[in-house]
Amino acid sequence: MLLIPAIDLKEGQCVRLKQGLMEQATVFSDRPADMGLHWLKQGARRLHLVDLDGAFAGKPKNLEAISGILAAVAKEIPVQLGGGIRDLATIEKYLELGLSDVIIGTAAVKNPAFVREACKQFPGHIIVGLDAKEGMVAIDGWATVTEHHVIDLSKRFEDDGVNSIIYTDIGRDGMMSGVNIEATVKLAEAVNIPIIASGGLTDLDDIRALCAVEDSGVAGAITGRAIYEGSIDFAQAQQLADSLSAR
């Protein structure tokens, strides 16, 4: 069970949102590269970046901060990023900068053929991010809830060659209310791609609960507010996950 620290970027700063609301942003650092190094030193084996401004604008908006993080850590650990990735040229640019994987979210829902083409051109580097509220997928920085069910869409991407699917429960994200284990397991059991849980990770009990369902296909979890506010010690949590996964 891999725990992945999240660095959400807004106007060049590291922030966390509550339920995806830009006006509910809490700034944790104005030095993104240092934050990347911090999690590397804490034992992170992968980083998760989100260009929040890019998610709303539909194009990259935090390139300076992203480049700084990559320069600091990309030679040591893989880095994945989502937010504003709508075309193949953007994917190519990010991979050239040193990103390991790009996350296609809104564009995957609006144009599934784009995911298929991206997987063909950049095999092994594409992740799909599906954000859902009560099982229904949301797009455009969570501003719009669609009529697509997350399981139906996930099945569509199975054969395209995506590395994994990041499943975010919008209702839990940034709320410190616990991971939606039931919905995450239901999705993991419905598809044959690894699922990365996101949203609501609060304490070590969530780590234990996730490790207990690892066999269902839940391969990792992204953590944000909990590690910034201190309800989870990242190094301790990853050590716990490693010990439980080894059993």
Side-chain angles (χ1 to χ4, degrees), residues 48-52 55 80-85 94 99 101-104:
H48 175 79
L49 311 184
V50 181
D51 181 350
L52 292 170
Q80 62 194 41
L81 177 137
I85 297 170
Y94 273 138
L99 275 175
D101 302 280
V102 297
I103 302 159
I104 303 175

Side-chain angles (χ1 to χ4, degrees), residues 26-43:
T26 301
V27 177
F28 285 100
S29 173
D30 59 3
R31 301 173 68 91
D34 288 351
M35 187 60 69
L37 283 170
H38 170 74
W39 296 126
L40 176 64
K41 292 174 182 176
Q42 290 293 308

Side-chain angles (χ1 to χ4, degrees), residues 3-8 14-16 28-29 31-49 69 72-73 76-79 223-238:
L3 302 182
I4 309 170
I7 300 178
D8 291 0
C14 304
V15 305
R16 290 302 295 167
F28 285 100
S29 173
R31 301 173 68 91
D34 288 351
M35 187 60 69
L37 283 170
H38 170 74
W39 296 126
L40 176 64
K41 292 174 182 176
Q42 290 293 308
R45 300 198 285 267
R46 175 177 282 265
L47 285 184
H48 175 79
L49 311 184
I69 294 170
V73 307
E76 301 293 331
I77 56 173
V79 181
T223 175
R225 185 171 290 273
I227 57 174
Y228 288 100
E229 295 191 346
S231 70
I232 288 180
D233 177 285
F234 179 82
Q236 180 186 14
Q238 185 62 74

Side-chain angles (χ1 to χ4, degrees), residues 137-152:
V137 173
I139 58 174
D140 297 324
W142 301 354
T144 304
V145 178
T146 72
E147 296 181 354
H148 299 291
H149 196 279
V150 66
I151 289 179
D152 295 335

Side-chain angles (χ1 to χ4, degrees), residues 130-141:
L130 295 178
D131 309 329
K133 186 174 185 178
E134 297 177 358
M136 307 310 289
V137 173
I139 58 174
D140 297 324

